[in-house]
Amino acid sequence: MSAELDPDVALAVEALEAEQAVLTAIEATLERHRRLRKTLSPMLVAHRAHVSLLAQAAPGGSPSPATSSPSGAFPAPFRVRSGGRDALRRLSEIELGSSTSAKRRSFAAESGAFARLLGSMAAASAQHWALLVQASSSSGSQEGRGS
Amino acid sequence: MTPLEALQITLAGEHAALYVYGVLGGRVSVSAEPELAKKLTGAYTTHRGLRDQLMSMIRLANADPVVAEVSYELPNPALLPPQLEQAALLLEERCTAVYADLVASTSGAHRQWAINALSDSAVRQLGFDGQPDPFPGVAEL
């Protein structure tokens, strides 16, 4: 028997998968480029908070680390680029995509409160995108050079 | 809250933002603090555009846009450059929260406007030495 999900619950499931995928990408990048910790730590904290909150709204809780390609995310498995600056640039693209897809979900949400939450998550990813663009283009950045 | 009420509250916030950014822009030294002056001027111009858009949206809803107060309280004394920057950050944080509330109270084109304003405002905070926030505009989280 297949039960049809409430539209907002379906959005929560989709958002959870997308957030988990971004989190996986950041964790993998951090694993390979430890010098990027200072730049990436706030993003790690934010996406973990997003996943934690969305897991409460999505039936089944937290999905396994990204093995699929959720809407608005990227093909799995995620491959970290070898250069620190290239890796930051790749993450900036991922955060921009994350922000765009979160905006789409915020627009589509039936509940105003849920729309507000998703809009805020989109804004968080937009902040990350801006910081990553800056970090990846900063020629003097130790973090951007390191691996 | 009705969508129109939420639009009016957002417009009232834009009136306040314009006033405060105007004061901050008038107090910054363009020669001594060119970067800060540029950011304050940019924010003022952006919020003026947002105010005008909100006024148009409210008129299209057959209502009269709320008018600005004569003056508004500054978030801090706003005398020294660090205070000017902090005042801009506090102001932008308030705007981000107002946009987030507008997202909750609207749908369709008005919600889309609010979603974009929310993200842009959150990014603008970074220019005033703001730190990334897991939930911009949502104080209770």
Side-chain angles (χ1 to χ4, degrees), chain A residues 112-142:
Chain A
F114 192 43
R116 176 172 175 256
L117 180 67
L118 292 170
S120 177
M121 289 179 180
S125 278
Q127 285 185 328
H128 301 167
W129 165 77
L131 291 169
L132 287 164
V133 166
Q134 190 177 38
S136 66
S137 62
S138 168
S139 58
S141 166
Q142 273 294 356

Side-chain angles (χ1 to χ4, degrees), chain A residues 88-100:
Chain A
L88 288 175
R89 207 168 291 134
R90 180 70 185 112
L91 282 183
S92 76
E93 294 164 0
I94 289 169
E95 288 284 13
L96 183 59
S98 169
S99 180
T100 302

Side-chain angles (χ1 to χ4, degrees), chain A residues 116, chain B residues 1 3 5-17 47 50 54 90-106 110-111 113-119 121-122 125 135-140:
Chain A
R116 176 172 175 256
Chain B
M1 188 187 305
E5 287 169 342
L7 286 169
Q8 295 280 26
I9 288 171
T10 310
L11 175 59
E14 290 297 351
H15 286 318
H47 282 283
L50 294 171
L54 282 163
L90 290 169
L91 176 63
E92 206 59 59
E93 286 173 347
R94 289 179 194 169
C95 290
T96 307
V98 170
Y99 300 139
D101 289 345
L102 185 63
V103 171
S105 299
T106 51
H110 291 161
R111 181 183 285 180
W113 186 95
I115 291 167
N116 290 331
L118 168 56
S119 271
S121 177
Q125 286 182 29
F135 297 100
V138 181
E140 70 269 23

Side-chain angles (χ1 to χ4, degrees), chain B residues 16-26 40 43-44 47 88 91-92 128:
Chain B
L18 268 182
Y19 176 92
V20 175
Y21 272 123
V23 172
L24 299 180
L40 290 172
Y44 179 88
H47 282 283
L91 176 63
E92 206 59 59
F128 296 116

Side-chain angles (χ1 to χ4, degrees), chain A residues 2-127:
Chain A
S2 67
E4 200 166 306
L5 286 178
D6 174 272
D8 277 1
V9 173
L11 280 178
V13 171
E14 188 185 307
L16 177 57
E17 288 178 359
E19 285 287 338
Q20 183 67 62
V22 178
L23 186 56
T24 300
I26 295 172
E27 286 173 340
T29 303
L30 206 45
E31 182 67 28
R32 178 150 184 188
H33 300 285
R34 295 188 181 276
R35 283 187 184 178
L36 301 178
R37 177 162 297 282
K38 190 179 169 192
T39 301
L40 299 183
S41 285
M43 298 162 200
L44 209 54
V45 168
H47 287 292
R48 280 180 180 154
H50 295 176
V51 165
S52 172
L53 202 63
L54 288 166
Q56 296 170 30
S62 180
S64 57
T67 51
S68 61
S69 180
S71 171
F74 45 87
F78 179 71
R79 289 195 182 86
V80 181
R81 292 182 182 170
S82 56
R85 206 169 296 162
D86 281 348
L88 288 175
R89 207 168 291 134
R90 180 70 185 112
L91 282 183
S92 76
E93 294 164 0
I94 289 169
E95 288 284 13
L96 183 59
S98 169
S99 180
T100 302
S101 56
K103 283 181 177 179
R104 179 181 53 75
R105 285 187 284 270
S106 173
F107 181 78
E110 290 188 356
S111 153
F114 192 43
R116 176 172 175 256
L117 180 67
L118 292 170
S120 177
M121 289 179 180
S125 278
Q127 285 185 328

